Amino acid sequence: MIPYWRLSGYYFFYFAFVGAFSPYFGLYLQSIGQSAAQIAVLMSLMSVMRMVAPTLWGWLADRMGVCTPIVRLSAFLSLLGFSGFLLTDSYAWLFVSMALLAFFWSAALPLVETLTFAHLSGRAGRYGNIRVWGSVGFILAVLGLGYLLDGLPVRALLWITLAVLAGILLCALTIPEAGRPRTPPVPVALGEILRRPEVRALLAACFFMSAAHGALYVFYSLHLVAHGYSKALVGWMWALGVLAEIAVFMGMPQLLRAFSLRGLLIWSFAAAVLRFGLIGWGADSLWILLVAQLLHGATFGAYHAAAVAAVNRWFGVQHQARGQALYGSISFGAGGMIGGLVSGYTWESVGPAWTYSLGSLFALMGLMVLAWGWRRGVGEPSRT
């Protein structure tokens, strides 16, 4: 039996945290006097820790043969780390609190992805039906906070986010461990998997896709507010993108039957090239922004579902946790860090439009790496 609601509940609260944190925490930092460069550094710590923590925790999970104890420990220590934001507004203390939060919070998702695929036991097409609840949690958080913060002090964000982290901890305590299939009779070395051209191409392309999203995750809310949009509308814009993501997640079984993973990924990268150009140069037009947000269904929904399915297939049982951790570390970690830091220093020097154009360039580079390095029909996981 698949523990559908327990896994779905975890995804719900995990991404409700993202919905509360990513769109609005930059506004909170701005409200307490942090500069654009300081905001970029603090927000990029999430990506920096994603470079280190998932690989460490993934290695430990593969060695221990279990994931749930680490997931539960990370949830508790994430809550403890975030509590530091309540104590002071000094930049040094904010840096320490963010580093602790990021180190432990980033450990969990690759392990939960591993647990989910283990419980699905080869039915990867059903992943979207579970993961979609994360998108629902994100929408409720981003919309609810958009309205609340139009009437409440921005500092209220801290207490609301703390409550969401407590929800993550409660759900982590309920997720059961999955039975591990037998290791193949002739184990494949991790290095052998990483030497495959399609694996290297995918991981490199994922780095560029996350770098392309750097300005979006750090400055999108500030970008819209600067163009005269209300915080409530900002919440709706984030929600619209996630609604498009939900539609894609729900349709993934059909998409995986109709298209190859490589084809879905190339389409996603092409959509990202267009999307970030529209955000950068069309922010004065609500209609252009609406189109750009609908493209989130491709630039995250289809992209992420296809990428984790490929990693699940290629890395097998023996290296599954480390495979998902590598994907998270290279893409959301290294790529997100570079994208966030670069956008922080270009935002004030060359302006938002050119900063988002740089995001389009990152996406184009990922598209070229993927199309060149992963040849059609080579290393294609079976469709489900």
Side-chain angles (χ1 to χ4, degrees):
M1 295 290 293
I2 299 172
Y4 178 87
W5 288 112
R6 283 176 281 181
L7 290 168
S8 298
Y10 184 92
Y11 281 111
F12 177 91
F13 280 103
Y14 189 93
F15 287 96
F17 169 80
V18 178
F21 188 84
S22 293
Y24 300 116
F25 205 71
L27 295 174
Y28 167 71
L29 293 174
Q30 185 184 59
S31 74
I32 59 174
Q34 304 300 310
S35 68
Q38 288 174 321
I39 292 172
V41 169
L42 289 170
M43 298 298 282
S44 293
L45 278 174
M46 300 297 286
S47 298
V48 171
M49 292 304 178
R50 278 178 161 181
M51 293 174 58
V52 180
T55 302
L56 171 64
W57 298 116
W59 171 84
L60 184 61
D62 280 336
R63 289 294 300 270
M64 293 173 59
V66 291
C67 294
T68 52
I70 300 173
V71 171
R72 292 164 183 168
L73 179 64
S74 74
F76 173 73
L77 294 176
S78 298
L79 180 65
L80 198 63
F82 187 84
S83 300
F85 291 119
L86 300 171
L87 302 180
T88 179
D89 294 339
S90 76
Y91 177 73
W93 187 258
L94 292 174
F95 188 94
V96 171
S97 297
M98 185 73 84
L100 290 173
L101 166 68
F103 183 79
F104 294 110
W105 180 80
S106 62
L109 186 59
L111 300 182
V112 175
E113 301 276 38
T114 299
L115 283 169
T116 300
F117 278 105
H119 281 296
L120 290 175
S121 187
R123 291 165 287 180
R126 296 192 62 186
Y127 167 79
N129 295 330
I130 296 174
R131 173 59 179 79
V132 72
W133 286 100
S135 303
V136 172
F138 182 97
I139 284 180
L140 292 178
V142 80
L143 283 181
L145 277 168
Y147 282 104
L148 285 172
L149 293 179
D150 271 336
L152 292 175
V154 179
R155 194 171 184 85
L157 175 68
L158 298 182
W159 294 101
I160 296 168
T161 307
L162 197 68
V164 175
L165 284 168
I168 293 176
L169 175 58
L170 290 175
C171 289
L173 295 173
T174 70
I175 296 177
E177 190 65 48
R180 293 171 64 90
R182 289 186 306 168
T183 302
V186 182
V188 179
L190 181 62
E192 184 177 339
I193 297 171
L194 293 174
R195 283 192 291 271
R196 292 168 59 181
E198 63 274 16
V199 175
R200 291 188 306 220
L202 175 63
L203 293 176
C206 289
F207 167 88
F208 286 115
M209 182 63 109
S210 288
H213 283 73
L216 179 80
Y217 292 135
V218 176
F219 290 115
Y220 184 68
S221 297
L222 298 176
H223 186 48
L224 296 190
V225 170
H227 280 80
Y229 300 105
S230 69
K231 293 186 183 71
L233 182 63
V234 170
W236 277 106
M237 294 302 289
W238 282 97
L240 176 63
V242 182
L243 284 172
E245 172 188 313
I246 287 174
V248 170
F249 279 140
M250 296 300 290
M252 277 308 292
Q254 292 74 29
L255 288 172
L256 289 173
R257 283 194 292 268
F259 303 102
S260 69
L261 292 177
R262 179 182 180 276
L264 284 174
L265 286 163
I266 286 177
W267 171 64
S268 301
F269 278 83
V273 175
L274 174 63
R275 182 188 184 195
F276 297 119
L278 293 176
I279 293 173
W281 296 97
D284 289 325
S285 169
L286 180 59
W287 290 107
I288 290 177
L289 289 176
L290 290 172
V291 171
Q293 283 304 90
L294 287 173
L295 288 174
H296 188 72
T299 68
F300 181 78
Y303 155 75
H304 177 68
V308 295
V311 169
N312 175 67
R313 177 75 179 192
W314 290 338
F315 282 82
V317 174
Q318 185 184 11
H319 305 295
Q320 186 60 213
R322 274 175 286 185
Q324 297 294 347
L326 275 172
Y327 162 66
S329 296
I330 292 171
S331 59
F332 303 117
M337 178 194 70
I338 294 298
L341 289 175
V342 168
S343 66
Y345 288 98
T346 60
W347 193 258
E348 294 178 338
S349 60
V350 300
W354 287 108
T355 297
Y356 280 108
S357 296
L358 186 59
S360 290
L361 179 60
F362 280 134
L364 179 60
M365 293 170 68
L367 174 60
M368 294 171 64
V369 168
L370 190 67
W372 192 2
W374 183 357
R375 296 185 179 181
R376 189 189 305 271
V378 177
E380 180 67 36
S382 61
R383 300 178 192 178
T384 54

